[in-house]
Structures are given as C-alpha cells and as structure tokens.
Amino acid sequence: MAMFSSCRLLATASHHPALAAAISARASSVWSHVEMGPPDPILGVTEAFKRDNNPKKMNLGVGAYRDDSGKPFVLNSVRKAESQIAAKKMDKEYLPIGGLADFTKACAELALGNNSEVIRSGRYITVQTISGTGSLRVGANFLQRFYKNSREVYLPKPSWGNHTPIFRDAGIEVKSYRYYDPKTCGFDFAGAMEDISKLPEQAIILFHACAHNPTGVDPKPEEWKEIAAVVKQRNLFPFFDMAYQGFASGDADRDAWAMRYFVDQGANLVLSQSFAKNMGMYGERVGGFTVICSDADEAKRVESQLKILIRPMYSNPPLNGARIAATIMNTPELRKEWLEEVKQMANRIISMREQLVSNLKKEGSIHNWQHIIDQIGMFCFTGLKQEQVERLTKEFSIYMTKDGRISVAGVTSSNVGYLAHGIHKVSK
C-alpha cells in the first residue's frame, strides 16, 4: 500500500514540476533525517484542555500558582518592587557574567541563613542563573568539567522530568535510587536508605530540598538526618535542588532545613535555587547556583571557572527579575510582606488538600486519602491509575498527567467539590 501511494505520488508529481521539485528538495535536505520529537506531556495536557468546551473543565497539569478564582497571581510585593525600580529610572546595561551582586548575596543568605558560617567566612560563590533550569544546567556542566570523582548522578525515582535531560545533555550518566512508594503514596525510607548505602563512593546524588516534584513527598527531619549520615559515610556528593523555598510549608527557614543540616554536617554541596514559584515570577527567569567551598580562596577560583562556563552559554543573565528579587529581599518592609504572601500561597495549597479529602469523604469514598494531606507543596501524587485518569478526562473534563499527578494550585473553593466527585466516581 505504501509503495502504491509512493508510486501514485511520483506519477502525480511528474505532471506538476513544482510538486516534483518540492519532493526532491525534501529528499535531499540536510534535515530530512530529523524525526518529529514526542510532545511534552504537560503541554499536551494543556492543549487538550484548551480544546475542551465543558464549562466545568479543570487543568491540573500546569505547575504555576493560581488564586482561589483560578487566576494567575502577581504578588503585591513584586508590584511594589517594580514601582520602586521604575521610579529610579535605572539603565538597562548588561549585567556581569555572574549576575547582579545585590541579588546573588541575598539569594545565598535566603538559602543558607543570615547567620551561616559559610556566609560569614565567604567560602561560597553564588551566580545568578536563568531560573532553576538554568541553574541545574550550569551546575551539571560545572560538575562534568571539574568533578573528577564520578560521572554519575543518582536521582530520586521519580524526579522532575527535566532533571534527566539536563544532566544527560551535560554528559553525566543518570541513574536512580528508590524514593516513592506507590503502595503507601509516601516516602520509601527503607528502599532509599538501602539504595543510597550501596551507591559508589563519591557519586553525585540529587535531593529535592523540599516539596518533592512530582510526588509532594518529603522525608521527615529524623529521616533526613539518617540520609545525611549515610551520604557522609559513603562520601557522596550532594546536589540540592530548591525550587520551592517558602512555598512548601509557608516558612522559608523550615523549607531550607534539610539542605542546611547537610551543610552543618560538613557537606560542601552545590545548590540550585529558583524564584519562579515563591515570588510568582515564572516568566522573569530568576535563579541562582551556589557552590560551597573549603575556603574563600577556593571560592574565588570556582567563581572564575563558573564565569568561563557561563560566558559561551548565555553571556550574562537577565536584569529585570533579579532587580525585583533583590529589591524585595533587601528592603525590610517588602521582604516582610513577601514572606507573608508566600505563607498565604502555601496555606491556600494546604487548605485545598484538606478540602479535597473532606469532600471525598462526603462523596462516600472508603479509600484512605490521608496521603493527599501528608504530601506537601504544589504537586500531589493522587495514587490514581492511568485508566482512572483517562476516565476523569473523558467523563469529567478533568485534566492531569497520566501518572495521576495533580497541581493542587489548580484546585479552588469553587471546583474542589467537582474534583472530589470525579475522583470518587472513577475510584470507587
């Protein structure tokens, strides 16, 4: 059949010179071997959602905060910082390769704490990056170039979908350790400890500092302490990804606790930060990458190499978002308002988790949904199976990724009952 179609196409082309030329050009193109790539699973969910005409439709796939009306939310502290910046009529010159100094200092202090010994001794370097993704890529490339002890990174299973291609494309082999237990919809502490204790010495291990994406499952403090002890014993190299500081629990210090504990135990780790979620500045692309060193002299040498690495990547980072973030973090009244707003966002997410479970009980569900409350941050692994997710989409126009992950930020007071009803119908 395919041969018949090809022959018919060639026969038709013989009577149409322009078509024949187009077919010949395609066949001889240097890109003719390039295949169509698979669609992004989350963007695919959004596209399907947009095509749906059901007025009750819900998009629970996108990882961006929404207010209780389901609308994008710009923080008042961000608006005020923008006004202050505009009033100063500042220039739009290039930033240095390492970024805005007022931002990078505040970025490190937010992560490590103002009273951190690392900050006081100056044995760290923080560079501004293109949000969290850019930070991870700079970090991966830096480790590939200068970390000579291993060419392997171990990610929790599962992990954020972009972690694998970021490290893989930087030339680091990606492997995994057990993390999520689908039977309990919680943390597989025993499995994680067993796997981590068997990792090759000096291997790179990635941790989500808080609000694990995609599961919403975090270790408890006492579990973190045991993990840190094994990491120290095996001489593993920790890479912390902190995309949700403040946004997870509503307390920036609490959300940084695990990473700070590792530092206190002597880990000279690396850290990626993003200000997309906790400042609601998704499109401004504000992030930081920090390397903790043995002393200030080492930090200067590392900084010099980070600049050499960044220069051919993107030359220097964007200015506007860094100015906004720096203004907020370095202005006491704005910082206070920002931290209150972050807490409000976190509390709304926590409230939606509680309301969803409450409504499932009202629907008459006999399943144990406690994991929805126990998980933390923007995302929740519901425990729904793929066929149940497909039914939710087909019968109720409720859209989520096939693994049952939902963005709790897409749940509101007005639609949480409808969501609970749909989940109950497909899971009873």
Side-chain angles (χ1 to χ4, degrees), residues 90-163:
M90 292 188 283
D91 62 47
K92 298 288 185 181
E93 293 294 300
Y94 289 124
L95 281 176
I97 297 171
L100 185 68
D102 286 347
F103 167 75
T104 55
K105 184 174 186 294
C107 181
E109 289 174 349
L110 180 70
L112 299 168
N114 292 335
N115 297 320
S116 168
E117 174 274 326
V118 172
I119 299 289
R120 292 197 309 271
S121 64
R123 61 180 186 92
Y124 76 97
I125 175 60
T126 299
V127 292
Q128 181 189 335
T129 58
I130 304 175
S131 202
T133 301
S135 174
L136 286 159
R137 185 56 190 265
V138 168
N141 276 67
F142 179 75
L143 292 180
Q144 192 278 334
R145 186 172 294 184
F146 292 103
Y147 187 69
K148 303 300 184 183
N149 300 322
S150 177
R151 284 292 180 267
E152 297 175 342
V153 62
Y154 288 81
L155 307 179
K157 188 176 181 180
S159 195
W160 180 44
N162 220 9
H163 278 147

Side-chain angles (χ1 to χ4, degrees), residues 64-380:
Y65 181 79
R66 298 291 181 262
D67 64 18
D68 202 44
S69 300
K71 304 296 183 183
F73 179 63
V74 180
L75 280 65
N76 287 329
S77 54
V78 169
R79 292 292 193 209
K80 290 178 181 178
E82 287 177 320
S83 296
Q84 290 183 16
I85 292 165
K88 292 178 181 178
K89 299 186 186 306
M90 292 188 283
D91 62 47
K92 298 288 185 181
E93 293 294 300
Y94 289 124
L95 281 176
I97 297 171
L100 185 68
D102 286 347
F103 167 75
T104 55
K105 184 174 186 294
C107 181
E109 289 174 349
L110 180 70
L112 299 168
N114 292 335
N115 297 320
S116 168
E117 174 274 326
V118 172
I119 299 289
R120 292 197 309 271
S121 64
R123 61 180 186 92
Y124 76 97
I125 175 60
T126 299
V127 292
Q128 181 189 335
T129 58
I130 304 175
S131 202
T133 301
S135 174
L136 286 159
R137 185 56 190 265
V138 168
N141 276 67
F142 179 75
L143 292 180
Q144 192 278 334
R145 186 172 294 184
F146 292 103
Y147 187 69
K148 303 300 184 183
N149 300 322
S150 177
R151 284 292 180 267
E152 297 175 342
V153 62
Y154 288 81
L155 307 179
K157 188 176 181 180
S159 195
W160 180 44
N162 220 9
H163 278 147
T164 292
I166 286 170
F167 283 97
R168 181 194 62 212
D169 290 356
I172 296 178
E173 186 177 358
V174 178
K175 297 186 177 182
S176 64
Y177 61 92
R178 280 175 286 176
Y179 187 89
Y180 176 75
D181 185 352
K183 294 177 183 176
T184 64
C185 295
F187 180 44
D188 184 2
F189 176 61
M193 288 293 286
E194 183 179 357
D195 285 357
I196 294 171
S197 67
K198 295 178 181 177
L199 297 188
E201 288 196 6
Q202 299 184 314
I204 304 162
I205 182 167
L206 184 133
F207 296 110
H208 298 230
C210 61
H212 180 274
N213 179 4
T215 69
V217 171
D218 286 353
K220 298 180 178 67
E222 56 270 24
E223 293 171 331
W224 273 121
K225 288 181 179 180
E226 292 193 46
I227 292 169
V230 175
V231 167
K232 189 173 185 177
Q233 178 188 2
R234 300 292 300 164
N235 198 21
L236 303 177
F237 187 84
F239 192 138
F240 271 86
D241 183 4
M242 188 158 63
Y244 298 92
Q245 187 181 2
F247 192 93
S249 69
D251 184 331
D253 291 325
R254 178 181 171 184
D255 291 346
W257 182 87
M259 180 271 299
R260 291 178 185 176
Y261 180 80
F262 273 67
V263 174
D264 290 343
Q265 298 305 301
N268 286 349
L269 50 79
V270 295
L271 167 70
S272 285
Q273 288 170 266
S274 167
F275 289 82
K277 307 295 193 300
N278 59 10
M279 286 192 176
M281 297 201 296
Y282 303 94
E284 295 288 359
R285 314 309 293 145
V286 186
F289 176 68
T290 296
V291 182
I292 297 177
C293 303
S294 298
D295 53 47
D297 181 66
E298 184 175 275
K300 289 176 182 176
R301 287 184 277 115
V302 168
E303 178 184 18
S304 71
Q305 292 296 341
L306 283 170
K307 289 178 179 179
I308 290 170
L309 192 70
I310 289 169
R311 176 65 170 140
M313 266 191 186
Y314 51 85
S315 192
N316 44 63
L319 172 62
N320 191 58
R323 274 182 176 165
I324 296 169
T327 301
I328 290 171
M329 289 190 286
N330 294 321
T331 308
E333 60 270 23
L334 286 183
R335 184 186 182 95
K336 181 174 181 291
E337 183 174 7
W338 166 56
L339 292 174
E340 289 171 353
E341 290 183 294
V342 174
K343 186 172 179 60
Q344 289 168 9
M345 290 192 290
N347 285 346
R348 196 188 86 74
I349 297 289
I350 293 168
S351 174
M352 287 302 104
R353 291 178 179 275
E354 293 169 347
Q355 289 186 44
L356 178 55
V357 172
S358 175
N359 276 275
L360 281 163
K361 290 177 181 177
K362 288 178 184 177
E363 288 286 333
S365 178
I366 59 173
H367 296 296
N368 181 4
W369 298 102
Q370 183 61 35
H371 61 275
I372 292 177
I373 295 174
D374 291 343
Q375 293 171 12
I376 193 170
M378 184 174 287
F379 299 108
C380 169

